Each structure stands twice: as structure tokens, then as C-alpha cells.
Amino acid sequence: MNARVVIAEDAALFRAGLTRLIEDRGHQVCAAVGDGDALLAAVAEHQPDVVVVDIRMPPTHTDEGVRAALEIRHQHPRTGVLMLSQYIETKYTSRLLEGNAAGAGYLLKERVADVAEFADALERVATGGTALDPEIVGRLLRASRRADGVATLTARERHVLALMAEGRSNAGIAGTLLVSDGTVEKHVTSIFGKLGLAAGDADNRRVLAVLRYLN
């Protein structure tokens, strides 16, 4: 797809690098701004497919990016939000994904150096998917293994769930683990059963399984 993108990053050099990287992948950068207020204005003007947002921006460099991202999720639900951070801040992940993980992502800035990985995450979020940094997923899983149902998952099932949380399809998980699609399907079915996620409801059980950990 050719996505329309707005970037919010206060470091001018990194902002320019993101712009070049995204445009080199065939996407259109509609605006590249340096603070949360400018981000909200750019989204209202351009109605992009996805925004790339630094968590910490002026004036306090704490959670301005997160607050702007949450506002975008509320006011422009069709716009995907991919947050970037230099640090692992799991509380912000939970806030971003609360209620609905579709069209949301959170990556460490170091992932941008892997152009293919970053581009894949950007495109998944732009098309309504989810993209979570593997290190963030790992920390969330370790912190929540005492939750109901979690302790019953095997090590392989936790690995499959971690890959699900990154936004990978069953085929993508099978390719990563070097197993068949059928094997992955069995693991996924087992995860749903152990977490008490019944078939037949309207909710996306993959999203619910991930949110069970985050909550």
C-alpha cells in the first residue's frame, strides 16, 4: 500500500531520517512536526492513514506524545498510531491499546535501524493491524504471568502469544518458528482455551488474548 503519514518527532535530524526512510518505501509524508499540538493540527488537516509519534516531546518531554496519540485514537479512529520510544515504558503501551488494539503500535527507536522491520510495522498499523516491539512484549509477558490462565501456558504457547502481540499472522508465526501452519493453529487454539476466550463471539480473540496480558 501507499500510506499517507504524519510524523511527530522533536529531534530534527531523526525526523528528517524518518521522512526519508518512509518516502523511500513509497509512502507519502504529509507533514513532519516537532510537538503534540502541531501533530493534532496536521492530522486534522491531512487525515493520514498513520502517524508516527515520539512519546516524549516538548515542552516537558514526558508524555506529550502519548496524550496526542490518545486524542488521535479518539478523534480519528481510522488513523493508525505508531509510537516510538527510546525506552521501554509498558504503562504507555497499555494506555495506547486499552479497549482496542487495532491500528496501534509501539516500537523502540532502535528498531528504525532495521528498515524492513520498521516498514513492516508501519504498514501493519496503517492497515488496522498491531505492531508491538518484541522487547516490550517480553516485559509485559514476564510481568503478567501470575494472571489467571497465564500460568497454564507452556513456554512455546507464550512464545506464540508474544509473536501474536507483535501483530504476526499464523503464517508469519509458522515462518518464524519453522513449524507448519497447522501446528501454530493448534497452539493458538490452546491459548484461547486456557485464557477462557470462547469461539463464536464477535470480538477478535487474538486481540483479547494480548489484552489479557496487558491488563
Side-chain angles (χ1 to χ4, degrees), residues 8-10 14 18 51-57 61-66 81-93 96 105-113 118 131-133 135-136 139:
E9 164 63 53
D10 64 299
F14 190 67
L18 278 175
V51 296
V52 180
V53 188
D54 187 5
I55 283 180
R56 300 186 178 189
M57 291 192 294
H61 293 278
T62 53
D63 66 346
E64 283 83 1
V66 177
V81 174
L82 178 58
M83 295 199 307
L84 298 180
S85 178
Q86 189 173 349
Y87 312 99
I88 297 177
E89 300 176 275
T90 53
K91 62 180 179 179
Y92 296 142
T93 313
L96 178 69
Y106 186 162
L107 295 180
L108 293 177
K109 284 188 173 181
E110 64 189 50
R111 300 295 176 194
V112 177
F118 173 74
L132 297 180
D133 193 283
E135 290 189 32
I136 295 171
R139 180 168 295 190

Side-chain angles (χ1 to χ4, degrees), residues 144-151 194-195 212:
S144 59
R145 283 177 184 167
R146 293 186 297 273
D148 291 344
V150 175
K194 291 179 179 179
L195 296 182
R212 180 69 59 85

Side-chain angles (χ1 to χ4, degrees), residues 8-42:
E9 164 63 53
D10 64 299
L13 186 60
F14 190 67
R15 185 169 67 239
L18 278 175
T19 300
R20 176 66 181 274
L21 186 159
I22 291 169
E23 290 181 338
D24 283 350
R25 300 291 294 197
H27 305 301
Q28 177 187 356
V29 176
C30 303
V33 301
D35 61 68
D37 289 341
L39 169 62
L40 293 175

